[in-house]
Amino acid sequence: MKIDTKHDDPIIATANKLRWEVGDYFHDSLIESIYKEAEVISAKVVTTAGKKSQFDFDKFIDRVVTSKWTGFPIMFLLLAAVFWITIIAANYPSGLIASVLVDTIHPLLKNLATSINIPWYINGVLIDGAYLAMAWVISVMLPPMAIFFPIFTLLEDFGYLPRVAFNMDNIYRRVGAHGKQALTMTMGFGCNAAGVIAARIIDSPRERLIAIITNNFSLCNGRWPTQILIATIFIGNLVPPIYGGIASAAAVVSVALLGIFFSLVVSWSLSKTVLKGEASAFSLELPPYRPPRILQTLYTSLIDRTLFVLWRAIIFAIPAGIVIWLVANVNIQGISLAEYFIRFVDPFALFIGLNGVIILAYVIAIPANEIVIPTVLMLTVLVTGVSGVGSGSGVMFELNNIEDVSMLLKAGGWTTLTGINLMLFSLLHNPCSTTIFTIYKETKSWKWTLLATLLPIMMGITICFLVAQLWRIFASV
Amino acid sequence: MSDSLILVVLLLAVSILAFIFYPEKGLLNKWRSIKSNNEKILLEDTLKHLFECEYNSTDCTLTSISGFLSTSQGQSSKIIVKLEEMGLVKPIGTKIYLTPEGKSYALKIIRIHRLWEKHLADNTSIREEEWHTLAELEEHKLTDDEVNRLAAKLGNPLKDPHGDPIPSENGEIPEQKGIELADLKEGDIAKIYHIEDQPLKVFSKLTSLGLSPGMIIKLIEKNKNNIRIECEGEEININPILALNVQVVSISDSEELIESHDTLSNIPVDEEVIIVGLSKSLRGQQRRRLLDFGIVPGTVIKARLKSLSGDPTAYEVRGTTVALRKNQSDKIFIKRKNIV
Amino acid sequence: MNSFNNENCANCPAHNLNNLVKLGIDMSNFDFVVALAGNPNTGKSTVFNSLTGLRQHTGNWPGKTVGRAEGGFIYSNKRFKIVDLPGTYSLLSTSTDEEIARDFILFGQPDVTVIVIDATRLERNLNLALQVLEITDRAVLCLNLIDEAKRHKIKIDDRNLSKVLGIPVIPTAARQGVGIQELLKSIYDVASGSYICKPYRISSDIKGVNKAVEEINRMLKQKFPNLPNTRWIALRLLEGDQRIIDAVHSGEIAELAH
């Protein structure tokens, strides 16, 4: 046995003996006495002159945003407005960046490479693989984030967001989480990696972990285009053409709502099981309303959130672009690696109502959900051998005409079930590598990172499997 | 079947086999080590029981040991023989005593048990009823070093959440000084010193009544069938049999008794009140955070607004607006201003 | 004892170089180290940015400093390193953030600790300020958001506050850049020793424990006669604070004397 000398120290021995007399609630009394002195000091130096007119203004806003009648409508309208502005305003710059980076610079680089006789494989790996993946990620990620984050930050600076947490806390309390999770979840609709970082605002360890692990259930910016495209092709076509738009919009919204539902259910089960042993202490301060500083906010949210996340995404996109090009172009006995893989997983994938192309696309497009559809299209061309579309094997592309996409996918053997299951799988699959890395950075734990990664993908496979079985039962009746 | 399905099945089979037979971490190995651990657990539990007997000045016999361990008399006597060989116990007649070595071993186990309960109470969301069972498992696992680190992390607590003293690293533990709740006279004021956590049924009954160590109570009346006390502003009736599991220390200072019946959760928006105390069942980080917000006795606090679903409520305290959930404000005692 | 730090050298740096290095602070290009402490939501990060002139971007999530951000500035030809500590409500509780802040101020002995407080909530913010003054002799109080206080018709007698607390008190509105020059000057004055702080120390009775505190205090004073605030150490020992128990036991606490 180790001999402990600490108790030989007379001071410590005395302190330990006296602690028994002082008792358990010493800390309480200590804080009480500090506050007593603080009161005395501030009474000496603080004077409040006249009526606190500004104060009533705060109170007025508070009453309005937390009232039973106006609270929810304001919240939803504001949120809807933020999303609407983001989607509408991001379209134009997105197209512009894509036309510069993808349509102009990419061919230029290709020509340059040919003219100076760079071997085709190096040219392919670097320009069609790495460069194109990076260009794609920038053009689809940058504009929405550069619009969404500043607006969100302005609302935060003004002091409105803590009130949202205050209003939503009742629901989150019931599932063992913190009201601020409503905010991190909303942030996740922009970008899951940003949502995960935003969980720092929750200072209770258990609730913070719940917010981090469930953030992936928010359908992020990179997944909306997939949802909209697939819904238009496979859901919109189920109803008469005039209702097509509404039906596909309803399908997309349902998937997003399903995501919110899953985030609550998973929060509840996490808090009851694996996270039971984590500390939990609720605290929520409502800061006074402050006029937001527009320029400062634009600057910091651009640097801190947008560029920070974008940089991480680019770092992951470049190697993925290389891998995407390689699997489509490295051939063994005349068949590409991609085709080997697709043939191999096809039976399993079809069994759960997806297909090998989708699985491979999700594996190699792990850096960003944005490049899933271009990868799917490229792989479908590769597998079906359809000619006249795309820009060559290993080169991701997008089609402007939805009819063309529809024809291509149907040539690839897609059914309505494939469409529905892809929408579900797009909601329920592992977070992108940027988010996974961010989760690790934030939790410093492989355990939680692994859980956050594997849980949604397990759920995705299970749900797809169930839907496929039900579909087959009802389709055969 | 296709190739990929076969492969999936094979992988699954291999991983299941690995899960069972893996050296050191496999199920089979775990089961084996549980079996050998079992003996250690029985030995340690016996020591703990013997110590508790001595601490409460009752006698320990083979019968009481087999009762405590739920084993046969035969097995218990084997355990005692083994402990005697190890020099940890010494039977005298039918009674069994701990040797000094045995006592320090027992104190070590008790230290882990109580620290772990404190940890569960302060740092986790695990419910009160589960603390004992979990600590019962943990006490046989932690090494000396881990225990000391745990104690340091918890701020070297003196008592577990049931009010039992935690032995120090070198086995110091203060003398028992509590009396039974039923021994109080009518009108006496006392502090709950200890609530026995065994048997579990009785313990959960007592906690469901809202009793917790550290609470100040006042005995209102007692008779053969009922003991009525006032506790944190509420009147509670306790069956005298249940009351046997509650130990108290009588205090002369009546100032500590919280007589108010009001909690912060009861006040309407815009009312300003004065905080008189925080319930002892607010623990750990939760308690410290409230204190940091300046929610200490004597503080003026005002309900400012309710969230649109009614919970939480925002309060103005020392110039800041802080939202508290009902399950927190229920545990903050106040007095109304107009009465003062 | 810190050899830099004796009566003969009033304007020498007072920080504890060894401990700073242990805490991960590289001081090779700096003369003084300044710690920035304060409650969350007091505009601490804005003060940090104003002091460093935004040249040093912190890369932190706005509204929440996690861990520690560092920056630097030059004033009157002296190079200052500034360390933004995590925003906390207290230094006495057990969260990681509070431990980081407490250990930095206590063991790193920064040349100046700037306590940023919200002028509209003086009483609540003083809780932390008083706790900081318990563990350092060199501090400046930055009375931030003074513009907001004015809007709310709250007036604070900063001269009187400075007299009571024994440290410089500078009203600022960091968002508008008001008071930053004065703050820089005060930091310089305290760091260079031209302003000698006489920090306010908590002295009121703590219910029922005075005897115990006095007994330990007496023993500490005997063993460590040069320690500035043994009463605080006695309080920590009574609360079972392992870091302080270890420091008293190993004698490390004596290094904090001057």
Side-chain angles (χ1 to χ4, degrees):
Chain A
M1 227 181 125
K2 179 179 73 146
I3 293 165
D4 184 57
T5 49
K6 253 170 237 173
H7 304 279
D8 301 339
D9 191 313
I11 298 178
I12 293 173
T14 314
N16 282 343
K17 190 182 84 235
L18 288 170
R19 286 187 68 205
W20 283 104
E21 291 166 23
V22 167
D24 277 342
Y25 291 92
F26 172 61
H27 182 80
D28 289 27
S29 326
L30 182 58
I31 299 287
E32 202 181 322
S33 71
I34 296 175
Y35 265 113
K36 277 218 179 88
E37 302 205 13
E39 270 171 43
V40 173
I41 295 173
S42 66
K44 263 189 221 162
V45 299
V46 179
T47 42
T48 321
K51 268 214 219 135
K52 293 183 261 179
S53 55
Q54 201 68 25
F55 204 65
D56 294 331
F57 174 68
D58 269 32
K59 196 162 195 167
F60 171 74
I61 304 181
D62 266 344
R63 286 274 151 91
V64 173
V65 300
T66 62
S67 128
K68 275 199 178 83
W69 305 109
T70 50
F72 268 121
I74 289 177
M75 204 163 73
F76 286 124
L77 285 177
L78 262 174
L79 213 63
V82 170
F83 281 120
W84 188 77
I85 294 171
T86 306
I87 291 166
I88 297 298
N91 254 339
Y92 177 71
S94 250
L96 193 71
I97 296 176
S99 79
V100 172
L101 293 183
V102 179
D103 301 340
T104 314
I105 297 185
H106 181 240
L108 265 176
L109 285 174
K110 291 289 279 190
N111 288 339
L112 187 74
T114 336
S115 67
I116 55 169
N117 283 328
I118 289 179
W120 69 275
Y121 49 89
I122 292 186
N123 160 346
V125 165
L126 292 182
I127 300 174
D128 291 337
Y131 171 76
L132 204 55
M134 183 191 82
W136 222 289
V137 165
I138 294 178
S139 69
V140 286
M141 260 180 116
L142 179 60
M145 289 205 303
I147 296 166
F148 181 77
F149 289 149
I151 303 180
F152 209 73
T153 315
L154 283 177
L155 286 174
E156 186 179 321
D157 263 20
F158 173 62
Y160 178 66
L161 294 189
R163 270 72 183 180
V164 174
F166 179 60
N167 280 335
M168 299 301 288
D169 185 63
N170 205 1
I171 297 170
Y172 283 93
R173 177 179 53 82
R174 282 161 209 248
V175 298
H178 193 294
K180 284 179 185 168
Q181 195 174 319
L183 307 181
T184 63
M185 194 189 75
T186 314
M187 185 69 97
F189 283 118
C191 169
N192 294 135
V196 168
I197 302 177
R200 286 178 184 179
I201 56 173
I202 302 173
D203 60 2
S204 167
R206 185 183 73 154
E207 282 77 356
R208 180 157 170 249
L209 272 174
I210 292 178
I212 289 177
I213 294 172
T214 59
N215 197 271
N216 188 43
F217 295 109
S218 293
L219 204 58
C220 73
N221 178 43
R223 292 184 266 174
W224 288 97
T226 311
Q227 296 286 342
I228 293 167
L229 179 74
I230 301 298
T232 315
I233 294 175
F234 291 98
I235 310 287
N237 285 356
L238 294 177
V239 294
I242 37 164
Y243 301 120
I246 297 175
S248 40
V252 176
V253 171
S254 321
V255 171
L257 291 178
L258 192 67
I260 297 177
F261 170 75
F262 276 127
S263 89
L264 290 175
V265 171
V266 172
S267 297
W268 179 80
S269 38
L270 286 174
S271 71
K272 287 277 175 284
T273 55
V274 282
L275 291 177
K276 200 162 70 165
E278 301 290 323
S280 160
F282 177 80
S283 69
L284 172 62
E285 216 183 315
L286 302 181
Y289 291 101
R290 283 174 189 153
R293 293 155 302 159
I294 312 252
L295 287 180
Q296 180 97 11
T297 305
L298 283 177
Y299 176 80
T300 50
S301 72
L302 203 70
I303 302 281
D304 281 344
R305 296 189 182 178
T306 313
L307 292 187
F308 180 72
V309 173
L310 190 69
W311 178 240
R312 275 191 186 174
I314 289 174
I315 288 179
F316 282 107
I318 289 173
I322 295 174
V323 170
I324 290 172
W325 190 86
L326 286 177
V327 295
N329 283 286
V330 175
N331 295 326
I332 300 172
Q333 290 168 350
I335 301 169
S336 65
L337 287 179
E339 282 168 283
Y340 274 113
F341 183 87
I342 291 167
R343 278 188 205 171
F344 183 68
V345 294
D346 240 357
F348 171 73
L350 289 171
F351 182 61
I352 60 166
L354 294 168
N355 62 41
V357 167
I358 297 175
I359 303 280
L360 179 59
Y362 272 103
V363 172
I364 57 184
I366 192 178
N369 284 290
E370 283 87 348
I371 56 175
V372 165
I373 285 296
T375 311
V376 163
L377 294 181
M378 182 272 284
L379 289 173
T380 309
V381 171
L382 189 76
V383 174
T384 56
V386 174
S387 57
V389 247
S391 340
S393 66
V395 187
M396 295 176 282
F397 66 93
E398 229 161 24
L399 293 168
N400 293 328
N401 189 341
I402 284 195
E403 286 305 311
D404 293 346
V405 181
S406 174
M407 292 224 318
L408 178 60
L409 292 181
K410 279 170 186 164
W414 290 47
T415 62
T416 311
L417 173 64
T418 322
I420 292 175
N421 268 3
L422 173 56
M423 288 176 78
L424 290 170
F425 196 69
S426 154
L427 174 72
L428 299 170
H429 69 91
N430 54 284
C432 67
S433 50
T434 314
T435 306
I436 297 176
F437 177 66
T438 308
I439 293 174
Y440 177 70
K441 280 282 206 182
E442 293 297 306
T443 60
K444 301 248 164 43
S445 143
W446 284 115
K447 192 172 87 179
W448 300 129
T449 311
L450 216 58
L451 179 69
T453 309
L454 295 181
L455 187 72
I457 199 161
M458 302 285 243
M459 288 172 66
I461 291 175
T462 314
I463 299 272
C464 284
F465 167 77
L466 290 176
V467 170
Q469 298 317 305
L470 288 174
W471 184 269
R472 280 167 193 151
I473 290 168
F474 286 106
S476 64
V477 174
Chain B
M1 258 208 309
S2 71
D3 292 357
S4 68
L5 274 182
I6 293 174
L7 189 79
V8 169
V9 169
L10 272 178
L11 274 176
L12 215 68
V14 168
S15 46
I16 290 173
L17 288 179
F19 184 62
I20 297 174
F21 292 105
Y22 201 83
E24 289 189 16
K25 287 191 174 155
L27 268 189
L28 201 68
N29 210 295
K30 282 220 169 118
W31 185 69
R32 270 201 209 121
S33 69
I34 285 170
K35 260 191 88 182
S36 71
N37 254 343
N38 243 341
E39 196 188 12
K40 182 180 170 224
I41 291 174
L42 282 176
L43 292 175
E44 291 184 349
D45 282 347
T46 310
L47 289 175
K48 210 169 66 174
H49 175 62
L50 288 169
F51 176 80
E52 267 157 26
C53 288
E54 283 181 22
Y55 195 64
N56 296 326
S57 324
T58 51
D59 293 331
C60 260
T61 60
L62 213 52
T63 329
S64 76
I65 290 170
S66 22
F68 181 76
L69 299 175
S70 346
T71 55
S72 65
Q73 291 247 2
Q75 183 153 20
S76 308
S77 59
K78 266 189 217 154
I79 291 168
I80 296 300
V81 170
K82 182 112 195 211
L83 284 172
E84 201 184 345
E85 279 168 12
M86 293 163 87
L88 298 173
V89 303
K90 200 166 62 185
I92 300 175
T94 56
K95 292 172 198 162
I96 300 151
Y97 295 96
L98 288 170
T99 62
E101 292 79 20
K103 188 177 166 194
S104 96
Y105 196 125
L107 278 165
K108 208 185 90 192
I109 303 298
I110 291 167
R111 175 171 155 84
I112 306 176
H113 183 102
R114 294 183 179 168
L115 278 171
W116 196 253
E117 285 191 342
K118 176 79 177 161
H119 161 71
L120 294 177
D122 280 9
N123 294 334
T124 74
S125 340
I126 291 168
R127 281 175 306 135
E128 237 167 309
E129 301 87 70
E130 294 175 58
W131 295 343
H132 178 79
T133 326
L134 291 172
E136 207 62 356
L137 294 173
E138 203 66 29
E139 66 189 16
H140 307 294
K141 286 187 199 156
L142 293 189
T143 64
D144 285 356
D145 226 33
E146 284 167 333
V147 179
N148 290 339
R149 246 178 294 141
L150 177 68
K153 206 183 108 208
L154 293 169
N156 298 304
L158 299 168
K159 288 180 178 176
D160 76 2
H162 307 294
D164 288 323
I166 299 172
S168 68
E169 198 183 338
N170 51 351
E172 295 151 338
I173 188 165
E175 296 289 307
Q176 177 86 287
K177 56 178 178 175
I179 56 167
E180 310 244 318
L181 174 62
D183 294 341
L184 289 178
K185 289 190 298 292
E186 284 176 15
D188 275 1
I189 293 170
K191 188 195 244 177
I192 298 182
Y193 166 75
H194 171 63
I195 297 178
E196 178 57 41
D197 53 7
Q198 291 296 317
L200 204 57
K201 253 192 187 157
V202 175
F203 177 64
S204 43
K205 194 81 197 272
L206 288 168
T207 46
S208 70
L209 287 171
L211 297 179
S212 185
M215 285 179 172
I216 310 291
I217 56 152
K218 182 178 177 183
L219 193 97
I220 302 173
E221 73 176 335
K222 64 172 180 182
N223 55 44
K224 241 187 267 160
N225 304 317
N226 191 31
I227 296 176
R228 195 146 60 91
I229 60 167
E230 187 183 319
C231 173
E232 299 201 332
E234 266 180 75
E235 285 193 7
I236 299 174
N237 292 308
I238 306 175
N239 185 310
I241 296 172
L242 296 181
L244 287 176
N245 278 16
V246 182
Q247 268 90 47
V248 297
V249 195
S250 57
I251 46 174
S252 44
D253 189 4
S254 64
E255 212 180 285
E256 283 201 56
L257 178 71
I258 295 163
E259 283 182 12
S260 153
H261 289 236
D262 267 340
T263 58
L264 189 59
S265 55
N266 281 333
I267 67 169
V269 167
D270 283 339
E271 183 172 346
E272 204 170 62
V273 295
I274 298 166
I275 293 169
V276 292
L278 271 62
S279 165
K280 306 286 188 230
S281 59
L282 281 169
R283 296 189 171 94
Q285 285 196 14
Q286 186 70 86
R287 186 182 193 88
R288 282 168 186 248
R289 180 47 51 84
L290 292 176
L291 293 169
D292 289 343
F293 279 150
I295 299 179
V296 296
T299 308
V300 175
I301 190 167
K302 180 176 167 188
R304 186 182 150 110
L305 78 159
K306 276 196 181 331
S307 129
L308 56 78
S309 50
D311 183 21
T313 303
Y315 297 92
E316 241 177 79
V317 54
R318 299 184 192 272
T320 23
T321 310
V322 177
L324 297 179
R325 288 177 174 171
K326 187 167 178 305
N327 61 17
Q328 295 173 301
S329 55
D330 271 345
K331 293 172 183 161
I332 298 170
F333 306 113
I334 49 122
K335 66 181 172 200
R336 307 266 171 168
K337 258 193 151 176
N338 48 6
I339 299 171
V340 183
Chain C
M1 279 270 260
N2 194 331
S3 57
F4 285 116
N5 199 3
N6 48 44
E7 310 293 308
N8 310 333
C9 181
N11 53 3
C12 283
H15 56 257
N16 188 322
L17 195 61
N18 285 341
N19 281 347
L20 283 175
V21 170
K22 259 189 256 164
L23 289 160
I25 301 289
D26 177 14
M27 285 300 292
S28 48
N29 287 313
F30 294 92
D31 301 310
F32 295 112
V33 60
V34 179
L36 204 59
N39 280 15
N41 271 321
T42 50
K44 193 160 67 71
S45 291
T46 321
V47 173
F48 179 85
N49 285 339
S50 312
L51 287 175
T52 54
L54 260 181
R55 281 185 307 271
Q56 303 275 338
H57 194 81
T58 58
N60 261 303
W61 203 251
K64 181 96 184 160
T65 311
V66 172
R68 223 170 41 199
E70 291 174 20
F73 63 87
I74 295 176
Y75 187 89
S76 192
N77 291 326
K78 291 286 180 196
R79 292 156 306 170
F80 289 79
K81 172 162 249 181
I82 176 157
V83 178
D84 190 12
L85 299 174
T88 59
Y89 295 109
S90 166
L91 295 179
L92 295 172
S93 300
T94 42
S95 81
T96 325
D97 278 357
E98 291 179 23
E99 240 168 83
I100 293 173
R102 200 275 305 269
D103 287 351
F104 190 85
I105 301 172
L106 183 64
F107 294 107
Q109 293 191 290
D111 299 288
V112 185
T113 301
V114 176
I115 312 162
V116 183
I117 73 172
D118 177 348
T120 61
R121 296 121 183 249
L122 182 69
E123 190 179 304
R124 147 84 167 272
N125 283 242
L126 272 178
N127 176 36
L128 179 74
L130 293 180
Q131 291 184 27
V132 171
L133 291 184
E134 287 293 295
I135 57 174
T136 182
D137 284 344
R138 296 170 301 273
V140 173
L141 193 81
C142 169
L143 201 55
N144 197 25
L145 302 175
I146 198 75
D147 51 328
E148 222 168 274
K150 218 171 270 165
R151 262 213 319 278
H152 292 216
K153 308 257 163 67
I154 296 169
K155 240 172 131 183
I156 296 175
D157 181 351
D158 52 283
R159 287 190 179 187
N160 197 1
L161 185 59
S162 167
K163 221 185 292 165
V164 174
L165 296 180
I167 57 171
V169 173
I170 312 296
T172 64
R175 283 172 162 223
Q176 285 78 29
V178 174
I180 298 301
Q181 281 311 311
E182 292 83 344
L183 183 61
L184 284 167
K185 185 175 183 305
S186 288
I187 293 172
Y188 177 82
D189 287 348
V190 173
S192 62
S194 57
Y195 184 111
I196 308 285
C197 300
K198 293 182 194 68
Y200 179 94
R201 294 276 148 88
I202 297 161
S203 57
S204 68
D205 289 358
I206 303 162
K207 256 191 239 158
V209 301
N210 279 333
K211 234 181 63 202
V213 175
E214 279 321 308
E215 191 173 339
I216 302 171
N217 197 1
R218 214 177 41 242
M219 295 176 79
L220 282 167
K221 271 193 178 141
Q222 216 161 38
K223 189 161 173 194
F224 307 105
N226 293 321
L227 271 186
N229 191 359
T230 43
R231 184 169 184 271
W232 183 83
I233 296 165
L235 290 174
R236 295 318 297 153
L237 291 180
L238 279 177
E239 228 184 305
D241 186 326
Q242 192 65 41
R243 183 73 181 85
I244 305 300
I245 294 176
D246 290 345
V248 168
H249 176 66
S250 67
E252 181 191 359
I253 206 91
E255 285 175 27
L256 309 181
H258 33 81

